[in-house]
Amino acid sequence: MTDESLILVDAVPDIREALEELDTDLTYTVSCQWPRTAPTSNLITITELDNSQAAGLLVVDRLSYQIDLWGPDADALRTLAPLVNAAVLSVGFLRTYSGPLELEGSSYYRKTMRFGRSVDKRTMRLID
């Protein structure tokens, strides 16, 4: 086994930094934890869905992240969604899914997007 094959890649800090710098007047919080109660303000959560070795390639990992937007105002989430998309794309990931804006319960909305790529651990470059 090579040293590169032992590396565990974590893109959450880069994604989080990009999300914390959105160019908007809307207030929001970025977290790695889903809300435990109905959110009363805009919240963006980051969840790692996959971080696994590509089949037969010790130095390539598959990375996948889910970004959820939560909040009481659908229009605010519609404004944040393209900004979130652009921020995660700017880190180098590709969007693999964008779900509809849904009313959760009776007091808040949720929008889900997923992003992924493979990473070559020898160079730390995102690849397809």
Side-chain angles (χ1 to χ4, degrees):
M1 243 191 244
T2 64
D3 290 341
E4 291 90 359
S5 67
L6 302 175
I7 295 171
L8 177 64
V9 179
D10 181 8
V12 170
D14 294 330
I15 294 170
R16 185 179 187 131
E17 180 179 341
L19 292 173
E20 288 175 340
E21 297 175 355
L22 298 181
D23 186 15
T24 181
D25 291 332
L26 291 169
T27 59
Y28 65 94
T29 304
V30 179
S31 176
C32 291
Q33 298 290 320
W34 281 22
R36 294 175 192 241
T37 61
T40 57
S41 61
N42 299 316
L43 173 66
I44 300 170
T45 59
I46 308 165
T47 306
E48 184 176 68
L49 298 177
D50 186 23
N51 189 335
S52 61
Q53 180 181 327
L57 300 170
L58 292 176
V59 295
V60 176
D61 282 355
R62 291 184 307 263
L63 304 177
S64 179
Y65 298 92
Q66 179 169 306
I67 310 298
D68 289 286
L69 289 73
W70 315 76
D73 179 24
D75 289 335
L77 297 187
R78 283 188 190 97
T79 299
L80 286 172
L83 301 174
V84 166
N85 180 65
V88 180
L89 293 178
S90 76
V91 175
F93 287 91
L94 301 174
R95 190 180 67 255
T96 59
Y97 172 80
S98 180
L101 183 64
E102 297 181 315
L103 181 63
E104 299 278 328
S106 62
S107 61
Y108 66 97
Y109 294 87
R110 177 180 173 200
K111 168 83 174 162
T112 299
M113 291 182 271
R114 294 185 187 129
F115 300 85
R117 286 287 293 269
S118 293
V119 62
D120 183 330
K121 296 187 291 185
R122 294 169 295 189
T123 61
M124 299 307 285
R125 292 189 61 192
L126 294 171
I127 59 174
D128 292 312

